[in-house]
Amino acid sequence: MGQEISQSEFTHRDFERFGERLRRETAILRDWLRERRFTPVSGIAGFEVEAWLVDRTGQPVPLNQAFLERMADPLVVPELSVFNIELNTPPLALGGGALRRMHDNLESLWRRCQRVAAELDATVALIGILPTLRDTDLTVEHMSDRERYRAINDQILRRRHGQPMQLAIHGAETLCLSHPDVMLEAATTSFQAHLQVAPDQAAVFFNAALALSAPLVAATANSPLLFGKVLWEETRIRLFEQGVDLPGGASSNNPAYRRVTFGNDYVKASLLELFTENLAHYPPLLPVDLSAEPAERLPHLRLHNGTIWRWNRPLLGFEADGTPHLRIEHRAMPAGPSIPDLIANAALYHGLVHALARATPSVPVALPFAMSRANFYAAAQDGLRAEIVWLNGRRASLQQLLLEELLPLARRGLRALEIDAADADEYLGIVAARVDSGRTGSDWQRRFLARHGPNLNELTLAYLERQRSGKPVHEWAD
């Protein structure tokens, strides 16, 4: 859930001061964009992968502090729960052998993580929702020891007047329950793709990422289970939205301004629109005094933006020389099932978003925003089987659309980026085989249960064995 802070209790004056600084920094951002202060460099890609620590039986194990102390690597950091960690790899310019380098970097870090976990009699798992996780595991006692997490939990509960989170997911089965805090969010582990974009291209790239969220969720689904119930193909989507359920300020009845959201509309001209929306519709959660940092680093704006979890989120960063840059963070894909699958998913995302951003007519002209949003939730619920409306009114299942139109489009996008042709063929081939067979991570989990019965420990151990094989999920045995 982002950068650490130094306090978790705040006064009314803290909120007033933070609001004043947020308004000033939003105005600075507006000036920077008008003055063309941002780097024009595009096509720098990176990602974050969230993972689980589990014991020999496949149960979540609360070891992230001990693990991180042994790992001692700034690229591996804590997540909300003591069962979770986050892996990061260095950003790379898209082109040439970038996909292969992404694979090698993640593989190397992953192997080091597994060696450290083994020293603690544990292992590391890449999966959207851990099947063996129980509601009773997700308590504040299992929250990572960071002021940021405590403060977010306290502030969300205060805004909700102490009312628990209400979870209701209706899929193949139904799950309804109440939960007293934000720890449900810890059940959702993601593969988050980052893309640096030039300011004059940011709007079209952001809109393309919105439209592509549906096919990406369907092609990468790996979260069918929660607390023993078979729910959506990508249950993570619904779970995160309900697990951190907090309305905005003046728009409390508008779901577009929930703290976890697909959004309100396409971007019309500039990503500034989203930061202006942050200021207007999202009361601060963490009114920390960051005035010791230079105002030119926009610390309050960046902290506030990190407490709004859009499925596609704008990010502001800085080059080594202090020049600001813009990134788009795509948050809808789950972790796992294997490292080849993850890099294949990155290839699909970057190929598609680069091709669609340059397509004519533009996404907002060819696909109404309401339809883009409806497609996203249909994909999360039904995966590749979902019937959606695509550009210019074309109706198709997501499986058909990916095979007939989107995979060739992704290939053209990677070719335009001058990605090594053999790498493009290899990684998009993984996606094509997965989509053609329908054998996503979610499909594999459901088929395993149908064949072997409802033993979640057995399912998890079988999943981990196949993950360690290094084979993509479409090649896994039932």
Side-chain angles (χ1 to χ4, degrees):
M1 281 191 168
Q3 73 193 71
E4 178 59 312
I5 59 176
S6 59
Q7 66 189 96
S8 58
E9 296 183 2
F10 309 104
T11 66
H12 179 70
R13 182 58 183 146
D14 290 331
F15 284 95
E16 288 182 338
R17 280 193 294 260
F18 189 93
E20 292 164 4
R21 290 163 179 152
L22 185 59
R23 284 189 289 275
R24 286 200 297 268
E25 291 176 15
T26 305
I28 291 172
L29 175 61
R30 183 180 296 108
D31 290 342
W32 285 359
L33 287 165
R34 186 176 62 248
E35 296 163 3
R36 300 183 181 275
R37 291 272 301 274
F38 282 81
T39 178
V41 175
S42 288
I44 308 296
F47 55 79
E48 307 167 14
V49 189
E50 298 163 347
W52 293 88
L53 294 166
V54 299
D55 65 17
R56 290 179 179 272
T57 69
Q59 293 290 328
V61 60
L63 288 175
N64 75 349
Q65 184 171 344
F67 174 90
L68 292 167
E69 288 173 357
R70 292 195 183 206
M71 192 74 188
D73 188 328
L75 293 176
V76 185
V77 297
E79 270 293 326
L80 175 59
S81 90
V82 291
F83 308 120
N84 299 121
I85 56 173
E86 178 186 283
L87 283 62
N88 296 268
T89 60
L92 296 168
L94 288 170
L99 293 175
R100 178 60 56 188
R101 291 197 298 276
M102 287 180 184
H103 191 148
D104 292 344
N105 289 340
L106 182 57
E107 182 81 36
S108 175
L109 185 60
W110 175 251
R111 292 188 183 281
R112 288 177 50 220
C113 286
Q114 291 291 25
R115 287 196 295 270
V116 171
E119 295 171 6
L120 298 167
D121 204 26
T123 191
V124 187
L126 295 170
I127 190 167
I129 298 174
L130 188 67
T132 51
L133 185 72
R134 299 164 299 182
D135 184 23
T136 52
D137 293 322
L138 299 175
T139 64
V140 290
E141 290 76 22
H142 284 147
M143 181 181 287
S144 291
D145 185 21
R146 299 189 84 189
E147 292 289 345
R148 180 187 180 91
Y149 300 143
R150 285 189 287 270
I152 286 177
N153 185 61
D154 292 347
Q155 290 301 315
I156 287 178
L157 292 179
R158 185 177 68 83
R159 299 279 172 82
R160 291 177 57 88
H161 307 289
Q163 292 297 310
M165 306 296 166
Q166 300 295 329
L167 190 65
I169 307 178
H170 305 281
E173 299 179 85
T174 293
L175 177 64
C176 297
L177 57 84
S178 296
H179 198 81
D181 48 54
V182 302
M183 286 296 288
L184 283 173
E185 187 275 331
T188 66
T189 47
S190 305
F191 175 65
Q192 298 164 12
H194 289 226
L195 177 64
Q196 183 174 316
V197 289
D200 61 348
Q201 299 176 327
V204 293
F205 272 88
F206 192 86
N207 293 338
L210 285 170
L212 291 167
S213 297
L216 287 164
V217 161
T220 65
N222 195 30
S223 312
L225 294 164
L226 178 62
F227 306 146
K229 299 284 189 179
V230 180
L231 300 169
W232 288 14
E233 287 294 285
E234 193 47 49
T235 303
R236 222 180 84 260
I237 301 300
R238 189 66 169 155
L239 173 58
F240 197 174
E241 291 190 347
Q242 294 186 347
V244 189
D245 186 18
L246 185 69
S251 303
S252 59
N253 294 320
N254 186 341
Y257 296 119
R258 296 279 162 171
R259 223 65 195 203
V260 184
T261 178
F262 187 76
N264 182 50
D265 202 349
Y266 292 120
V267 171
K268 294 176 175 59
S270 165
L271 295 191
L272 175 65
E273 295 160 30
L274 298 172
F275 289 98
T276 302
E277 185 177 278
N278 291 355
L279 177 65
H281 294 288
Y282 293 97
L285 285 183
L286 304 177
V288 180
D289 182 356
L290 300 174
S291 56
E293 296 186 44
E296 290 73 20
R297 303 292 290 187
L298 307 189
H300 301 87
L301 179 144
R302 294 162 65 202
L303 177 62
H304 183 53
N305 186 57
T307 66
I308 301 160
W309 297 279
R310 295 179 178 90
W311 291 113
N312 292 275
R313 179 162 66 177
L315 295 178
L316 176 76
F318 295 90
E319 304 295 297
D321 64 0
T323 303
H325 69 243
L326 291 173
R327 301 195 310 277
I328 296 168
E329 179 187 44
H330 180 74
R331 303 170 51 82
M333 294 184 285
S338 71
I339 289 177
D341 283 308
L342 288 175
I343 305 305
N345 295 345
L348 179 66
Y349 171 72
H350 290 297
L352 281 175
V353 78
H354 277 85
L356 192 59
R358 294 176 170 86
T360 54
S362 67
V363 166
V365 172
L367 183 67
F369 178 81
M371 190 58 65
S372 187
R373 181 168 52 199
N375 290 345
F376 176 66
Y377 292 105
Q381 183 160 7
D382 294 327
L384 294 170
R385 302 185 305 277
E387 298 280 339
I388 69 158
V389 176
W390 188 236
L391 307 183
N392 301 314
R394 178 187 176 183
R395 294 179 179 271
S397 73
L398 279 166
Q399 184 179 41
Q400 179 186 3
L401 182 69
L402 279 156
L403 292 172
E404 294 179 358
E405 183 173 337
L406 295 185
L407 278 159
L409 184 65
R411 192 174 301 277
R412 292 197 294 274
L414 295 181
R415 187 182 307 124
L417 287 166
E418 299 183 345
I419 291 288
D420 182 90
D423 290 347
D425 289 344
E426 177 181 348
Y427 291 111
L428 290 183
I430 289 172
V431 178
R434 187 198 310 154
V435 171
D436 187 44
S437 64
R439 295 172 75 94
T440 62
S442 285
D443 177 72
W444 183 88
Q445 291 178 60
R446 287 188 290 101
R447 282 188 291 105
F448 189 93
L449 289 177
R451 185 165 185 171
H452 299 279
N455 186 320
L456 298 178
N457 290 74
E458 183 182 359
L459 165 66
T460 302
L461 293 175
Y463 179 100
L464 292 174
E465 179 185 4
R466 287 154 179 77
Q467 185 172 89
R468 284 191 293 268
S469 76
K471 294 180 180 179
V473 70
H474 72 272
E475 296 180 9
W476 290 7
D478 292 351

